[in-house]
């Protein structure tokens, strides 16, 4: 295993153990709660998104499953918190991130996730080579996408 792969594996395990945004916050005035399940492996995510105006104010979640699904949810929340700051990230930017993440994960390794854009979530680039694991990594992102439509 290369040094970079080892680092990525450590990031995935860290996020799986120290889950950012874990625990559902109380619903806000404009929130949506979405439950997603991966029938292939049994991963489950319940995600709550709170939208204020045109910004994603907060994302919290609960779930159980493999380290990829759990770390992906944690990485998603960390990314939104870092890039959105106290005001939250514009919903259009969040939707664009989800689309880019989906494209990279469906590329079978041809499109790597940019570290500048995706921060720790770039560690999930290697998942795209394993089609059975793509759904694990996409679970929280799909839940957020659905939540944005409903909020």
């Amino acid at each position: 295993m290369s040094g970079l792969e080892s680092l990525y594996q450590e990031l995935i395990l860290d996020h799986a153990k120290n889950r950012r945004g874990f625990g559902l916050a109380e619903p806000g005035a404009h929130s949506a709660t979405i439950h997603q399940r991966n029938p292939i492996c049994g991963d489950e995510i319940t995600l709550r998104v709170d939208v204020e105006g045109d910004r994603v104010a907060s994302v919290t979640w609960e779930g159980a499953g493999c380290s990829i699904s759990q770390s992906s949810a944690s990485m998603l929340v960390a990314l939104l918190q870092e890039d959105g700051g106290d005001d939250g990230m514009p919903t259009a930017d969040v939707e664009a991130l989800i689309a880019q993440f989906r494209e990279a994960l469906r590329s079978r390794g041809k499109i790597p996730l940019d570290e500048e854009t995706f921060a720790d979530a770039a560690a999930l680039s290697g998942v795209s080579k394993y089609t059975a694991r793509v759904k694990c990594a996409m679970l929280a992102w799909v839940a957020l996408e659905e939540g944005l439509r409903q909020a």
Side-chain angles (χ1 to χ4, degrees), residues 89-151:
M89 185 182 281
T91 54
D93 292 352
V94 175
E95 290 167 345
L97 279 175
I98 294 168
Q100 291 172 26
F101 189 80
R102 176 180 284 117
E103 180 183 16
L105 260 65
R106 289 183 175 171
S107 75
R108 296 189 183 239
K110 291 181 176 64
I111 303 171
L113 292 165
D114 177 59
E115 285 185 46
E116 289 289 317
T117 304
F118 289 95
D120 286 355
L124 297 168
S125 286
V127 170
S128 70
K129 296 174 186 172
Y130 307 97
T131 55
R133 307 305 275 165
V134 168
K135 286 187 179 187
C136 301
M138 284 296 307
L139 201 61
W141 299 71
V142 169
L144 178 56
E145 184 176 52
E146 179 64 26
L148 290 175
R149 282 194 285 266
Q150 292 184 21

Side-chain angles (χ1 to χ4, degrees), residues 77-89:
V77 170
L79 177 63
L80 296 177
Q81 288 172 343
E82 290 168 14
D83 286 357
D86 292 339
D87 295 331
M89 185 182 281

